[in-house]
Amino acid sequence: MNRAELEGRRRQLEDGLAAVFRTATATNHHDPGTLSISGLGGCTRRAAYQLARYQPTDDHSHQEQRASHLGQAVHDWVLPRLAAQLGHDLTLVEHDVVLGVRGLQIPGRLDLFTPAIGGGLLVDLKTHGYDQSDDGDEPSRARLLQLYGYAMALRLMGYLIQGVAVVPMSRIHGGTSGTWIGEFGSRQEAYVDARVRDLLRHAEAPAFAPRDAHRGPGLDIICDSCPFMSRCWPGAEPAQAAEVRTNADVVAHALGYTEAAAQESNWKKEKQYHLAALGRTRLGGYEADGFEVEVKTFPGRRRLDQSGAKELLKENNLPIPYTTDKDSRRALVHRRPLS
């Protein structure tokens, strides 16, 4: 079998894998125009568009969304087995619920609820692709609102529930070192109610609702998969350029760019300084001030020797290939002299 045939079979296999994920996305496609419990803590503008019954402008059912599908595969394998350990007959697994609040009926699908722990415990499994998680950190506002929304829906259905838990599981090795458990009571219910109240207020003028610091398509994965991306970020390419309308907008972004560039340079110097300080330390573990540190060595990465490559090309009378970058734009900031 020659190299071309092997390459053809490799492409066939890769295309088949990609088709698996695209098919899964289309099959599991839910209504992107409906606010769900999982979206309570998400982007405020997106939720406002959904509550105002705006029609989605972007269809992402053709995308592969591999991380999402792999995370679902972990859920499908772990949750029934965990339920069996906690008392399967009494445990709800991937159960549909509806949160009735302020005249709304918000649907959702919880991961696991068991009455066998602490008078009723709701568990939300969150898979991630990185190697570590932060121990003991409270979940983000978005995760808490989602979790409290599920718990509130359970209470409205008559279930006794006093605790909630977030279990972050690494898809790399299955670690759950960042598991967090908290209480659920009237204060948490009021937290959900206040969020829904604010969303209803923003739904009166969704185009002016905050984007919650999301930076837009190409810069934020949340925006890349948003069903209202074209409505929220219309106009120029890149979409962020349409946000610059006045001289003040230009100056604000130029100042932001200049400040970020300076910080980037300073942080690179800071990183190099600390790495140099650790250069002669003993390999192994260290502990102080409540932190544990492991100093390790990593094999050097192979890099192209550009100078050597150029010399070889010259020696063999071969032209050195060049590519031309697209024009890039910079902003030079000058302070106006005082008059």
Side-chain angles (χ1 to χ4, degrees):
M1 187 179 300
N2 59 41
R3 192 175 189 85
E5 290 175 326
L6 288 173
E7 178 62 20
R9 294 191 177 187
R10 186 195 65 79
R11 286 199 303 268
Q12 186 179 6
L13 178 59
E14 290 291 341
D15 291 344
L17 287 170
V20 166
F21 288 100
R22 288 196 300 270
T23 301
T25 301
T27 302
N28 298 328
H29 193 54
H30 64 281
D31 182 7
T34 299
L35 176 66
S36 65
I37 295 176
S38 63
L40 282 177
C43 176
T44 299
R45 184 175 293 189
R46 173 175 174 169
Y49 279 132
Q50 290 170 327
L51 288 177
R53 304 297 184 187
Y54 277 67
Q55 287 298 312
T57 56
D58 299 85
D59 179 12
H60 301 283
S61 62
H62 60 284
Q63 296 180 353
E64 294 180 25
Q65 299 181 11
R66 295 195 178 197
S68 175
H69 295 309
L70 290 173
Q72 185 59 51
V74 173
H75 280 67
D76 293 343
W77 189 88
V78 171
L79 293 176
R81 288 165 172 79
L82 179 58
Q85 295 293 326
L86 301 176
H88 189 278
D89 293 339
L90 299 176
T91 300
L92 303 179
V93 179
E94 295 194 291
H95 190 73
D96 291 326
V97 295
V98 176
L99 171 60
V101 56
R102 291 186 174 264
L104 300 176
Q105 298 292 308
I106 307 175
R109 189 177 182 86
L110 60 83
D111 283 347
L112 186 147
F113 168 69
T114 175
I117 299 179
L121 180 69
L122 175 67
V123 179
D124 196 37
L125 180 64
K126 294 291 186 184
T127 62
H128 57 82
Y130 46 89
D131 191 52
Q132 301 179 29
S133 57
D134 296 327
D135 295 349
D137 284 0
E138 184 172 90
S140 65
R141 183 194 73 151
R143 289 188 177 180
L144 286 177
L145 281 167
Q146 178 184 4
L147 199 58
Y148 294 159
Y150 292 143
M152 191 172 173
L154 283 172
R155 276 197 174 178
L156 293 173
M157 295 168 62
Y159 289 97
L160 176 63
I161 175 168
Q162 297 178 343
V164 291
V166 175
V167 179
M169 176 174 288
S170 170
R171 291 193 297 270
I172 297 175
H173 50 62
T176 56
S177 59
T179 296
W180 175 89
I181 295 182
E183 64 179 359
F184 180 77
S186 58
R187 184 168 63 88
Q188 286 72 30
E189 287 187 341
Y191 189 51
V192 175
D193 182 78
R195 173 61 172 170
V196 174
R197 179 198 63 206
D198 289 343
L199 291 178
L200 286 170
R201 176 173 58 84
H202 286 300
E204 297 174 2
F208 297 96
R211 295 188 178 113
D212 299 336
H214 295 308
R215 294 298 182 93
L219 298 176
D220 197 314
I221 191 172
I222 298 298
C223 298
D224 290 338
S225 60
C226 179
F228 302 99
M229 181 182 68
S230 299
R231 182 184 295 277
C232 185
W233 296 93
E237 181 65 36
Q240 291 84 351
E243 301 299 297
V244 180
R245 297 184 176 90
T246 67
N247 286 358
D249 293 336
V250 174
V251 170
H253 283 285
L255 289 173
Y257 166 80
T258 303
E259 181 180 352
Q263 289 179 346
E264 180 183 25
S265 176
N266 290 335
W267 278 112
K268 285 183 178 179
K269 293 177 182 177
E270 189 76 3
K271 184 176 71 171
Q272 291 171 352
Y273 163 71
H274 291 296
L275 282 177
L278 293 170
R280 293 181 178 273
T281 53
R282 169 185 56 83
L283 300 180
Y286 296 81
E287 184 175 350
D289 301 326
F291 292 92
E292 294 181 0
V293 172
E294 183 181 5
V295 177
K296 302 175 63 175
T297 59
F298 293 89
R301 293 181 298 172
R302 296 189 64 185
R303 296 171 182 254
L304 174 64
D305 181 357
Q306 296 188 23
S307 298
K310 288 180 180 179
E311 288 299 323
L312 287 174
L313 289 171
K314 288 181 179 179
E315 290 174 5
N316 290 276
N317 295 317
L318 296 173
I320 299 175
Y322 289 95
T323 59
T324 302
D325 294 334
K326 293 190 299 183
D327 290 344
S328 60
R329 183 161 295 191
R330 297 289 187 270
L332 302 179
V333 178
H334 307 284
R335 187 176 296 276
R336 291 179 60 186
L338 295 175
S339 59

